[in-house]
Amino acid sequence: MPGKRIAVIGAGVSGLGAIKICLEEGLEPTCFEGTNDIGGLWRYQVRGDYEWQGKYYKSATSNTSKEMTTYRDYPSPDRFPNYLHNSRIMEYLRMYAQHFDLTKHIRFLSKVHSVRKRSDFSCTDVLVETTGKQESYVFDGIMVCSGLYTEPILPLQNFPGINRFKGQYIHSCEYRSPEKFQGKKIIVVGIGNSGADLAIELSHVASQTILNKFYPTFLINRWAENKLNARFNHDVYGLLPKHRLLSHQATCGDDLPNHIISGRALIKSDVREFTETSAIFGDGTEEDLDVVIFATGYTFSFPFLENNATVLDSQHSMFKFVFPPQLEKPTLAFIGILQPVGATIPTSELQSRWAMRVFKGSNKLPSVRGMTADIRRKRKRFGKEFLNNPRKTCRVQYVEYMDEIVSEIGAKPNLPSIFLWDPKLAIEIFFGPCTPYQYRLQGPGKWAGARRAILTRRERIIKPLRSRTLICDQPPSSVPFWLKSACAALLFVLTLVIIKG
Ligand SMILES: Cc1cc2nc3c(=O)[nH]c(=O)nc-3n(C[C@H](O)[C@H](O)[C@H](O)COP(=O)(O)OP(=O)(O)OC[C@H]3O[C@@H](n4cnc5c(N)ncnc54)[C@H](O)[C@@H]3O)c2cc1C
Ligand SMILES: NC(=O)c1ccc[n+]([C@@H]2O[C@H](COP(=O)([O-])OP(=O)(O)OC[C@H]3O[C@@H](n4cnc5c(N)ncnc54)[C@H](OP(=O)(O)O)[C@@H]3O)[C@@H](O)[C@H]2O)c1
C-alpha cells in the first residue's frame, strides 16, 4: 500500500538501509536518531560528545572486508583499503546517505521514548523527545534499528574480590587509546574481538598484558582449523579453544601470536579472584596488576517498548530475528538484532526489504503457531551448531540466513538458470565469495548494477594494494578462458549431482 508512514528508530547502518529500502518500496520513512549524527556504533566518540555512547576505540578497524561490508547496491570505492578503519566506514556511510539523499528523512537529537500500538492495531503511537520537548506521532509501521550492542556487560559478580581491588577497572567500551596505560600491568578479561584488539594494542605500551580466555571461530571447521594451525600452533601458544571453529564468535587478532612469543602478552586461565593488588588464576598462579579491562561484551534492550510482554517476550523471540510472533498485525520489525558470522550491513538491509514487503502486504507471515514453531526449531539447532551460550542467542550463519530471507522475498539467485545465460557470472558466484550484490541480481529489488559489481570485485580488492607500479615480466596465464569455463562447468554439474544424490 503506497504512502504508508514508517518510523525508523536509529540512524546507524541498519537505520540508513531501512530508510533507503522504504523509499524504494514507495513508503514514507521518518527516522528518529537520538544523537546529532548518522553512523551509530561506527562513529568514534570521546566522552563529552553529545550523548556519549561510543563503543569504538580510536584504532578500531572492521574485521569484515569492504566487499562484504556494503549495502547490496553500493560497493565501497575501489580506492578504499580492504579492511576499513572506523573513519573510512563513516566516510562510506556519508557517501551512501548523500547519494540516496537519505539525511532529509532523519530527525536528529530525537530520542524515541515510547512505542504503543493502538487498541485496534491499525497504527502505532510514537512519543519522541526532541531537544527537551515531547512530540507524538502516528505511524503505520515501526522499524526498530536501535542496535544490538547497547549495554555493556560488566560481570563483577563473577569475580570475587574485585571490589577490594585498588587498581582501576573499566569495560572495554570505555577504552579509547593506549597512551594512559603506558608502563602498567593490565589484564584483559574475555577474549572476543574487543579483548584481542585491546590486548594487542596495549601490549605495545603496557609493561605486561595478560589475557585470560580465547575463543576463535572461522569458516569450515576442519579446513579452517588446519589452515589456522599451519600459521601457528594454537595449542603451543595457549590459544586452543575448547570447541570447534564454527560454533563460536570469530576472534581475529593476527598480531596476537607475535605479542605472545615476545612475552608482551601472557595467556592465563580464568581469574579465580582478585586481591587488592593482583589476580589469582585458576591454576593457583598470581600476577600483580594495575588495571583490569572487562572486554566481556554487550547486551541489548528496547526501553521504549516499556517491557511490554504482549510485544516481545523475555527471550526476545522474533520470527527470523525480525518479527515478534505474537503481534495481531505485523506492524513492528526489528532490524540488525542478530550476530551474523559475517557483516551486518547487507544482513540488516535484506531484513529491511523483507519487513517493508510484509508491511505493504506483498509478503505474508505464517500463523503465530507456525512462527513460534520455527523459533523453537531454530533455538534447538542453535544449541547444537554454536556453543549453547545464553550470551550468544542471536548468532546465525551468514550465507544460510541471507538465503533464507532472500527466499522469503523471492529474490534468491537461480544459479542453474544464470549458468545457462551467463556462465561467467555463474562461475564468479559459485566459486567466489558470497558478496552482497548477488542478492540483488533477480526478483524484487533487482539492481541493474549487480552483475558488474560482482564481476569487478577483484579489481576493487586489488586496486588499494597497487599503491606503486611494478613492471611485471610474467607472461599472462597460459590456460585459455574457454578451458577454465569448461572445467568450472564440469565441476559445477558434478557438485549438483553429488548434492542431489
Ligand atoms: C567494537 C565493535 C566492532 C564491530 N566490528 C564490526 C565489523 O567489523 N563488521 C561488522 O559487520 N560489524 C561489526 N560490528 C557490529 C556492529 O554493531 C554493526 O556493524 C553495526 O554498527 C550495527 O548497526 P545498527 O545500525 O544496527 O546499530 P547501531 O550502530 O548501534 O546504531 C543504532 C542507532 O540507534 C540510535 N538509537 C538507539 N536508541 C534510540 C532511541 N530510543 N531513539 C532514537 N535513536 C536511538 C543510536 O543513537 C544509534 O545511532 C562491531 C561492533 C562492535 C561493538
Ligand atoms: N575489529 C573488529 O571488527 C571488532 C572489534 C571488536 C569487536 N567486534 C565485534 O563487536 C561485537 C562485540 O565484541 P566483544 O568482543 O566486545 O564482545 P563478545 O564478542 O561478546 O566477547 C565477549 C567475551 O567476554 C567473555 N565473557 C563474557 N562474560 C564473561 C564472564 N563473566 N567471565 C569471563 N568471560 C566472559 C565472552 O565469553 P563467552 O564467549 O563464553 O560468552 C567472550 O569471550 C562482536 O560482534 C565482535 O565481532 C569487532
Side-chain angles (χ1 to χ4, degrees), residues 320-342:
K320 299 189 195 290
F321 295 94
V322 176
F323 288 103
Q326 307 292 350
L327 288 188
E328 295 77 4
K329 283 189 183 169
T331 51
L332 179 71
F334 291 85
I335 306 298
I337 310 300
L338 80 174
Q339 279 188 308
V341 184

Side-chain angles (χ1 to χ4, degrees), residues 144-425:
V144 178
C145 305
S146 54
L148 180 65
Y149 301 110
T150 52
E151 285 145 41
I153 298 175
L154 197 58
L156 298 184
Q157 71 287 356
N158 297 349
F159 294 91
I162 188 69
N163 291 328
R164 63 171 186 267
F165 177 62
K166 288 201 170 137
Q168 182 193 11
Y169 67 82
I170 58 170
H171 187 272
S172 58
C173 74
E174 295 175 67
Y175 174 86
R176 286 292 166 274
S177 57
E179 296 84 23
K180 67 179 181 188
F181 297 97
Q182 188 83 38
K184 306 245 164 140
K185 282 197 95 177
I186 303 166
I187 181 167
V188 180
V189 177
I191 289 287
N193 280 307
S194 298
D197 275 4
L198 266 52
I200 291 165
E201 187 159 293
L202 286 165
S203 297
H204 290 286
V205 299
S207 73
Q208 181 72 72
T209 309
I210 302 165
L211 296 99
N212 89 322
K213 260 191 177 185
F214 191 75
Y215 288 136
T217 306
F218 234 20
L219 278 173
I220 307 158
N221 279 328
R222 184 190 291 255
W223 175 82
E225 282 168 3
N226 286 341
K227 280 264 180 205
L228 288 172
N229 280 321
R231 289 190 69 183
F232 69 93
N233 186 323
H234 285 64
D235 191 12
V236 171
Y237 280 73
L239 297 175
L240 192 69
K242 292 178 192 142
H243 52 79
R244 298 308 304 274
L245 223 46
L246 260 182
S247 58
H248 205 278
Q249 168 78 38
T251 297
C252 328
D254 284 354
D255 284 345
L256 197 53
N258 297 337
H259 291 263
I260 295 170
I261 205 162
S262 62
R264 289 195 298 269
L266 275 184
I267 303 290
K268 299 290 282 183
S269 56
D270 285 357
V271 175
R272 199 165 68 204
E273 67 172 303
F274 287 98
T275 69
E276 286 187 358
T277 55
S278 68
I280 301 173
F281 298 92
D283 57 8
T285 55
E286 187 169 354
E287 294 283 346
D288 287 340
L289 290 177
D290 301 306
V291 182
V292 182
I293 300 184
F294 287 99
T296 38
Y298 300 88
T299 182
F300 61 96
S301 68
F302 309 105
F304 41 86
L305 294 179
E306 300 168 334
N307 281 334
N308 187 339
T310 66
V311 177
L312 208 54
D313 66 16
S314 59
Q315 290 182 282
H316 297 117
S317 306
M318 298 171 201
F319 179 55
K320 299 189 195 290
F321 295 94
V322 176
F323 288 103
Q326 307 292 350
L327 288 188
E328 295 77 4
K329 283 189 183 169
T331 51
L332 179 71
F334 291 85
I335 306 298
I337 310 300
L338 80 174
Q339 279 188 308
V341 184
T344 305
I345 293 182
T347 322
S348 55
E349 190 205 356
L350 190 59
Q351 289 181 319
S352 287
R353 170 78 64 188
W354 179 43
M356 297 300 165
R357 294 181 60 77
V358 171
F359 284 171
K360 285 203 315 184
S362 322
N363 277 77
K364 297 269 177 274
L365 294 181
S367 64
V368 173
R369 227 169 126 199
M371 288 192 273
T372 318
D374 184 78
I375 293 169
R376 222 176 295 126
R377 215 172 23 248
K378 298 265 168 59
R379 285 218 173 110
K380 210 165 158 195
R381 233 186 78 196
F382 173 89
K384 286 190 191 141
E385 213 167 299
F386 297 104
L387 290 184
N388 212 348
N389 183 338
R391 292 192 286 264
K392 299 276 158 57
T393 51
C394 299
R395 282 204 83 61
V396 292
Q397 302 293 5
Y398 174 77
V399 177
E400 191 183 311
Y401 184 76
M402 294 292 273
D403 278 359
E404 191 177 338
I405 301 298
V406 88
S407 303
E408 291 287 336
I409 298 166
K412 187 169 173 189
N414 181 337
L415 211 49
S417 91
I418 297 177
F419 204 87
L420 289 179
W421 55 260
D422 196 343
K424 191 174 173 190
L425 180 63

Side-chain angles (χ1 to χ4, degrees), residues 109-129:
L109 301 176
S110 300
K111 186 167 180 170
V112 171
H113 263 257
S114 72
V115 170
R116 283 204 193 109
K117 55 187 177 174
R118 291 248 172 113
S119 50
D120 64 354
F121 317 118
S122 56
C123 45
T124 309
D125 293 315
V126 175
L127 191 65
V128 179
E129 189 175 307

Side-chain angles (χ1 to χ4, degrees), residues 10 12-14 32-34 40-42 56 62-64 112 145 147 149 343-344:
V13 302
S14 301
F32 299 106
E33 168 51 51
L41 281 187
W42 286 106
Y56 274 49
S62 72
N63 59 6
T64 49
V112 171
C145 305
Y149 301 110
T344 305

